[in-house]
Amino acid sequence: MTEFETAARQAEAQGQAHKATLMRRATYASVSVAGILIVVKLAAWLLTGSVAMLSTLIDSLLDAFASLVNLFAVRQALTPPDREHRFGHGKAEPLAALAQAAFITGSAIFLLVEAGKRLYAPQPVASSDIGIGVMIFSIVLTLILVRYQRFVVRRTDSLAISADSLHYAGDVLVNIAVIVALVIVSQFDLLWVDPAFALGIAAYIVWNAWQIARGAMDMLMDRELEPEERQIIKDIVLAHPDVLSLHELKTRAAGPQKFIQLHIEMSGAMSLWRAHVVSDTVEAELQAAFPDAEILIHQDPFGIEEESSAVR
């Protein structure tokens, strides 16, 4: 192994360790925030009796569950490959995201039922000022968490952290909606507004669940990387003067890790040693662009794909 390859491997290992630390910290932060919000929202709901407040309490319970699932999923996903899981444990993340989506949908249905009951038999909302204060506190705390989560996602591409961040970003809108509902009910005595807002929040929760489930299914079904990323791969490979063509490009992602495999075509007169050097150089350049990727390159003499197609 050359000094360049050794340095690249060391830099990759350090980068992965840093990302693992960021992901763990993000899961601890989200669990802590969810716990705090559950306590304050439970107290506010008991004092106000608002079904809109109940809706945001349920949403925080969902976030706590999702954050706990993420905590264990991220720990599992970061476990190094072993004899039984040679490609690692990255798919623990989309599995956790699917569990979140299912739980969120069930809770949204419960909220729809409760809001429907209140629409049929409206009830007054008490101590709305307390509820508004709790919502403002929730918004500030949630915005701090979302900002940190997005910082982590930009550096790790973690699906589980991204899904968790989506929950909490939605919470900001939910909390604003609850404030509006409490103000309208307290100022204009329109009791139907409280359950109406709860219905809207429930619909928003279901939409979030669908977004999470769709992203998880894409990863579990080994969907290709985005076209922009595939084009970057092609540009890097074909930029090497000894690479005449490429084919059989296949990509997928499992949690924060990406998998890239392809065939590169070079002159048939090239020595095996030179072909190996070219392949290693291309791999190192791809690794620099995709630090978390596992890359597999097969070397072919130029024109072999056309010959194979002609035989078939």
Side-chain angles (χ1 to χ4, degrees), residues 8-275:
R9 294 288 175 84
Q10 290 176 346
E12 178 187 354
Q14 291 174 353
Q16 290 177 346
H18 179 62
K19 289 180 179 181
T21 300
L22 286 176
M23 290 169 66
R24 291 191 182 97
R25 288 176 179 173
T27 58
Y28 298 150
S30 62
V31 170
S32 300
V33 168
I36 294 170
L37 293 182
I38 286 171
V39 172
V40 296
K41 288 180 180 180
L42 175 60
W45 173 60
L46 292 174
L47 290 171
T48 64
S50 165
V51 71
M53 182 64 70
L54 174 62
S55 70
T56 189
L57 171 60
I58 291 175
D59 196 44
S60 289
L61 287 168
L62 294 176
D63 288 336
F65 171 80
S67 297
L68 285 171
V69 170
N70 278 346
L71 191 152
F72 292 111
V74 166
R75 289 181 62 182
Q76 183 68 20
L78 293 174
T79 303
D82 53 34
R83 186 179 296 275
E84 288 78 25
H85 306 89
R86 296 297 179 93
F87 290 97
H89 303 78
K91 288 193 175 181
E93 286 199 54
L95 286 173
L98 276 183
Q100 294 174 32
F103 190 79
I104 288 170
T105 302
S107 298
I109 292 172
F110 168 76
L111 179 55
L112 287 170
V113 172
E114 289 298 310
K117 290 179 181 178
R118 285 293 184 92
L119 276 174
Y120 180 75
Q123 296 180 18
V125 174
S127 304
S128 58
D129 53 338
I130 295 177
I132 293 172
V134 168
M135 288 300 96
I136 293 174
F137 171 78
S138 299
I139 289 171
V140 172
L141 189 59
T142 303
L143 284 173
I144 294 172
L145 175 64
V146 168
R147 183 168 184 177
Y148 179 66
Q149 287 177 322
R150 289 181 176 175
F151 165 79
V152 173
V153 170
R154 285 196 301 270
R155 283 157 177 76
T156 65
D157 292 324
S158 169
L159 177 64
I161 304 300
S162 178
D164 216 26
S165 179
L166 182 60
H167 290 164
Y168 287 101
D171 281 353
V172 174
L173 298 178
V174 169
N175 293 336
I176 292 173
V178 172
I179 291 175
V180 173
L182 291 173
V183 169
I184 292 175
V185 171
S186 63
Q187 296 298 318
F188 302 101
D189 201 29
L190 299 175
L191 300 183
W192 61 268
V193 170
D194 182 43
F197 268 76
L199 288 173
I201 292 169
Y204 182 79
I205 291 172
V206 171
W207 182 81
N208 271 346
W210 164 245
Q211 295 293 105
I212 294 168
R214 185 174 65 177
M217 288 301 298
D218 284 345
M219 190 170 289
L220 289 171
M221 297 298 291
D222 290 334
R223 181 178 177 176
E224 289 280 351
L225 299 182
E226 294 299 323
E228 294 80 6
E229 292 179 297
R230 288 173 56 83
Q231 188 59 50
I232 290 173
I233 294 170
K234 293 176 183 178
D235 291 343
I236 291 174
V237 173
L238 295 176
H240 196 287
D242 288 321
V243 177
L244 304 178
S245 182
L246 71 87
H247 60 275
E248 293 294 325
L249 172 60
K250 298 178 181 179
T251 61
R252 67 183 180 92
Q257 187 172 21
K258 294 179 174 66
F259 295 87
I260 302 170
Q261 65 181 64
L262 68 150
H263 291 215
I264 58 174
E265 297 184 29
M266 297 169 284
S267 170
M270 184 180 294
S271 69
L272 179 59
W273 175 263
R274 177 59 184 167

